[in-house]
């Protein structure tokens, strides 16, 4: 059920045990992938899992924050402060509408801090449980281990394979010189470091990508997210007591 496509009487009667919110960014992803890659992939995984599990699907939040790739044309970076307030207000409004559990499917690393802070703030004023899923990290770990030949990165083998599987019409030919890997020994911040790490908005080996690899990753990711949603619908939080 897509939240934005329901009438208010339909929404009033809808199952509000779980809602799913995709979040991403508009950001450069090499010369071969669309600017919306992070948002598009979060939407893909969230839509399919929500449909299969019978959960409400919120309209996506396309915008996020990047301090590394904002020098590339087409990138739109929103301040972390603005994002924190936006995410928090959306979470609170979702709770006000009667949702018991919110699953945030995030597709971009630069959003994590603002999402975590927003979730903590919203949790103080609502009874809603908020589960933050950074899908490229939290889902399909075993599938990635099996199919990927090179390290995961940015517009690399992993992301390129995923977009090939989900949105093949949006993938351009991978240039022969697209592969680029810069080893980072320490956390380094600063314009010169960013330019050195992302000369063409790539960190990894997109030449190794294939649609088949992407399909394997996405199949596992959707199944695992579906399982999480079904657990929440049944009243089970993703917590495990030990000892």
């Amino acid at each position: 059920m897509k939240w934005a496509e329901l009438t208010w009487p339909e929404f009033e009667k809808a199952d509000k045990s779980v809602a799913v919110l995709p979040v991403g960014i508009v950001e450069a992803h090499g010369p071969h992938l669309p600017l919306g890659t992070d948002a598009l992939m979060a939407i893909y995984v969230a839509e399919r899992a929500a449909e299969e599990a019978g959960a409400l699907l919120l309209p996506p939040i396309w915008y996020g924050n990047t301090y590394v790739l904002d020098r590339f044309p087409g990138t739109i970076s929103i301040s972390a402060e603005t994002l924190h307030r936006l995410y928090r207000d959306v979470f609170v409004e979702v709770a006000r509408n009667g949702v018991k559990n919110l699953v945030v499917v995030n597709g971009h690393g630069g959003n994590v801090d603002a999402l975590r802070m927003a979730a903590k703030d919203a949790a103080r004023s609502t009874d809603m449980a908020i589960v933050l899923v950074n899908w490229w990290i939290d889902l399909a770990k075993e599938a990635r281990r099996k199919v990927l030949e090179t390290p995961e990165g940015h517009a690399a083998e992993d992301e390129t394979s995923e977009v090939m599987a989900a949105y093949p019409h949006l993938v351009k030919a991978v240039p022969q010189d697209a592969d680029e890997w810069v080893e980072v020994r320490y956390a380094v911040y600063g314009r010169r470091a960013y330019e050195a790490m992302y000369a063409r908005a790539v960190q990894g080996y997109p030449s190794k990508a294939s649609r088949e690899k992407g399909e394997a990753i996405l199949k596992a990711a959707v199944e695992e997210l579906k399982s999480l949603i079904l657990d929440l619908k049944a009243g089970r939080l993703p917590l495990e007591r030990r000892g």
Side-chain angles (χ1 to χ4, degrees):
M1 296 177 289
K2 293 186 177 181
W3 186 305
E5 295 181 3
L6 299 173
T7 63
W8 73 259
E10 290 173 331
F11 181 85
E12 190 174 40
K13 297 175 183 177
D15 177 6
K16 302 177 187 66
S17 56
V18 182
V20 183
L21 171 65
V23 180
I25 191 173
V26 179
E27 173 192 63
H29 276 75
H32 58 290
L33 294 182
L35 293 161
T37 289
D38 288 349
L40 287 166
M41 294 313 307
I43 292 167
Y44 181 94
V45 174
E47 278 187 347
R48 279 150 185 79
E51 182 178 4
E52 292 183 18
L56 280 167
L57 180 70
L58 282 148
I61 298 177
W62 278 83
Y63 299 108
N65 174 264
T66 178
Y67 56 89
V68 176
L69 296 165
D70 53 350
R71 66 190 177 88
F72 286 93
T75 297
I76 298 176
S77 181
I78 307 300
S79 74
E81 294 80 8
T82 297
L83 288 175
H84 166 251
R85 294 177 64 182
L86 172 62
Y87 297 151
R88 181 198 62 200
D89 288 357
V90 171
F91 297 169
V92 170
E93 280 296 285
V94 170
R96 184 183 65 79
N97 275 281
V99 171
K100 302 302 181 186
N101 300 279
L102 175 64
V103 179
V104 180
V105 182
N106 177 41
H108 176 62
N111 298 340
V112 173
D113 288 345
L115 284 168
R116 285 177 176 167
M117 290 185 63
K120 290 176 183 178
D121 286 353
R124 292 191 182 99
S125 60
T126 74
D127 292 326
M128 184 174 69
I130 304 168
V131 182
L132 173 58
V133 178
N134 297 309
W135 89 268
W136 75 101
I137 296 173
D138 299 327
L139 302 178
K141 293 179 182 178
E142 183 62 19
R144 292 172 185 276
R145 187 188 67 79
K146 287 181 178 179
V147 302
L148 295 178
E149 303 173 58
T150 61
E152 296 168 70
H154 184 83
E157 178 189 4
D158 55 325
E159 276 195 304
T160 303
S161 296
E162 291 153 8
V163 183
M164 283 178 171
Y167 307 96
H169 60 292
L170 296 180
V171 182
K172 305 299 186 290
V174 178
Q176 290 185 344
D177 61 348
D179 290 356
E180 183 174 22
W181 183 261
V182 177
E183 198 68 35
V184 180
R185 296 174 55 200
Y186 301 99
V188 185
Y189 302 92
R191 186 64 58 184
R192 285 182 294 125
Y194 307 153
E195 290 176 356
M197 287 188 289
Y198 295 94
R200 301 188 69 189
V202 174
Q203 174 75 318
Y205 302 88
S207 65
K208 298 291 186 180
S210 75
R211 183 169 183 168
E212 292 73 23
K213 292 174 182 177
E215 288 172 348
I217 292 169
L218 293 177
K219 180 180 179 181
V222 170
E223 189 60 33
E224 290 171 21
L225 185 59
K226 173 186 171 183
S227 179
L228 168 62
I229 294 169
L230 291 175
D231 279 347
L232 292 170
K233 288 170 75 77
R236 295 186 294 269
L237 291 171
L239 304 172
E240 183 178 349
R241 187 182 298 278
R242 297 183 179 179

